[in-house]
Amino acid sequence: MKRMRTAEPWLRALTERTFAENWRGASPELSGGRRLKIADATHVRVSGSSGTDWRLHYVLSLPTLACDFAEVTDAGGGETYSRVPVQPGDVILGDRGYCHREGVAHVRDHGGDVVVRLNASSFPLLDEHGGRLDLLATMRTLHEHEAGSWPVRFQAHGREYAARLCAVRKSASAARAAKERMQKAARKKGHTPRKETLELAEYIFVLATPGLDDLAAADVLELYRARWQIELGFKRLKSLFDAGNAPNRDPDAVRSWIYAKLLAVLLMERMGEESRLFSPWGFPLGGRQPLEGVQGGVRRVPERGSLPSLPSELLRRGRELSRRLRERPRKRALQLTGLSLLSRIS
């Protein structure tokens, strides 16, 4: 227990170093040099608690689903784009928890773009003429289930930012289910949702920043669907590593516990990727050296372009093993052919 309390800086440093030394490098790029990422957070409960005690903020890159950023905060650490490192060309997907004007402005100021589910109550929009956007009246102009888009603006940090509102009408069954969830949540809080709020539940609307203006409204909505992948990532974390629970209440020990699980996830991702790209000569070229080159604590690396001489007996055994492996499939095929002929004769 004492070691767990004092291990948090060490485990955090290992996790950050693993991020920095990730041999895969940057996340795959979309057209135009853009990289697709998903941001979200999940709660962590300590032993004996029924609420949120800590939060694990997580960013995944697509399509590899590799962890791109992680941070552990207490329950007061809210979901916001402002805590996510942004590079020019990043496209970060987020749910309504990330729909804050300051956070979206942070991504835009650093050269990135967002596709975020709009939270109408906390993210007021302006129309192209500078007046307040009537969201419900705008949604009513949609025809059937065709996707629509409208240029909008929002204010943050004393400036105005351009954006685009993309929306589509839900199917009848999806709209009914959304209204039922909204009414159930309202009953628990002891109030009744307004008629306009229930009508807005019939639509899906997301906000996209100008770097995605080359995409049609339907393509932006399809892009937002990829955000569900991070929910699957959290499910793997919680089911395989029990990342949603900590065994005690000590803050230092809890942080150590979470960082240890993050480190295990990162190492497993690296091992899985390297095994998928296994090299038959036993080590990756271009930087890493074979284990045979390290003896007695001293690195003995052969010069580039030369190979260490091997004993003749070792070479002979290697050739013999290679010959046996080549002949094994042929012998097996002959045995199966013989068995099939015998069964036909009998």
Side-chain angles (χ1 to χ4, degrees), residues 67-103:
C67 181
D68 190 77
F69 168 78
E71 183 182 6
V72 179
T73 66
D74 57 18
E79 300 176 11
T80 174
Y81 282 127
S82 301
R83 69 173 71 255
V84 177
V86 183
Q87 297 179 355
D90 287 349
V91 179
I92 309 178
L93 311 182
D95 61 7
R96 277 180 288 221
Y98 285 83
C99 192
H100 305 286
R101 288 174 290 174
E102 291 75 13

Side-chain angles (χ1 to χ4, degrees), residues 86-251:
V86 183
Q87 297 179 355
D90 287 349
V91 179
I92 309 178
L93 311 182
D95 61 7
R96 277 180 288 221
Y98 285 83
C99 192
H100 305 286
R101 288 174 290 174
E102 291 75 13
V104 176
H106 163 78
V107 177
R108 289 298 298 152
D109 291 341
H110 288 79
D113 288 285
V114 304
V115 176
V116 61
R117 182 84 173 266
L118 181 66
N119 189 345
S121 60
S122 63
F123 203 110
L125 292 174
L126 306 175
D127 58 24
E128 53 185 342
H129 304 295
R132 188 176 181 87
L133 180 73
D134 189 338
L135 185 59
L136 184 56
T138 304
M139 293 299 104
R140 287 171 177 169
T141 62
L142 283 173
H143 300 288
E144 297 298 330
H145 301 293
E146 294 183 0
S149 67
W150 301 265
V152 294
R153 305 185 69 82
F154 67 93
Q155 295 177 344
H157 306 311
R159 296 170 48 193
E160 277 196 3
Y161 293 82
R164 183 164 53 123
L165 179 65
C166 301
V168 67
R169 187 190 298 269
K170 298 178 183 177
S171 65
S173 59
R176 183 169 56 253
K179 291 180 181 180
E180 290 175 355
R181 288 194 299 269
M182 187 176 295
Q183 291 170 333
K184 182 178 180 180
R187 284 195 298 269
K188 287 184 177 180
K189 297 180 180 179
H191 65 84
T192 303
R194 296 186 304 164
K195 182 179 178 181
E196 294 79 6
T197 305
L198 289 174
E199 186 175 351
L200 281 175
E202 299 178 3
Y203 304 91
I204 291 287
F205 28 82
V206 301
L207 193 72
T209 46
L212 302 172
D213 284 346
D214 58 320
L215 298 180
D219 295 330
V220 172
L221 291 166
E222 285 292 329
L223 191 62
Y224 177 75
R225 289 181 59 197
R227 198 205 67 82
W228 183 249
Q229 292 296 326
I230 200 168
E231 302 292 346
L232 301 179
F234 281 141
K235 186 175 182 180
R236 288 192 296 270
L237 278 174
K238 291 185 174 182
S239 61
L240 298 178
F241 292 92
D242 197 22
N245 297 283
N248 55 66
R249 291 179 171 271
D250 185 82

Side-chain angles (χ1 to χ4, degrees), residues 315-331:
L315 290 174
R316 187 188 65 78
R317 292 182 180 180
R319 294 192 189 101
E320 179 66 19
L321 178 60
S322 178
R323 182 184 63 79
R324 292 179 180 178
L325 291 175
R326 287 197 304 270
E327 291 181 352
R328 183 175 299 173
R330 183 169 53 188
K331 290 182 178 179

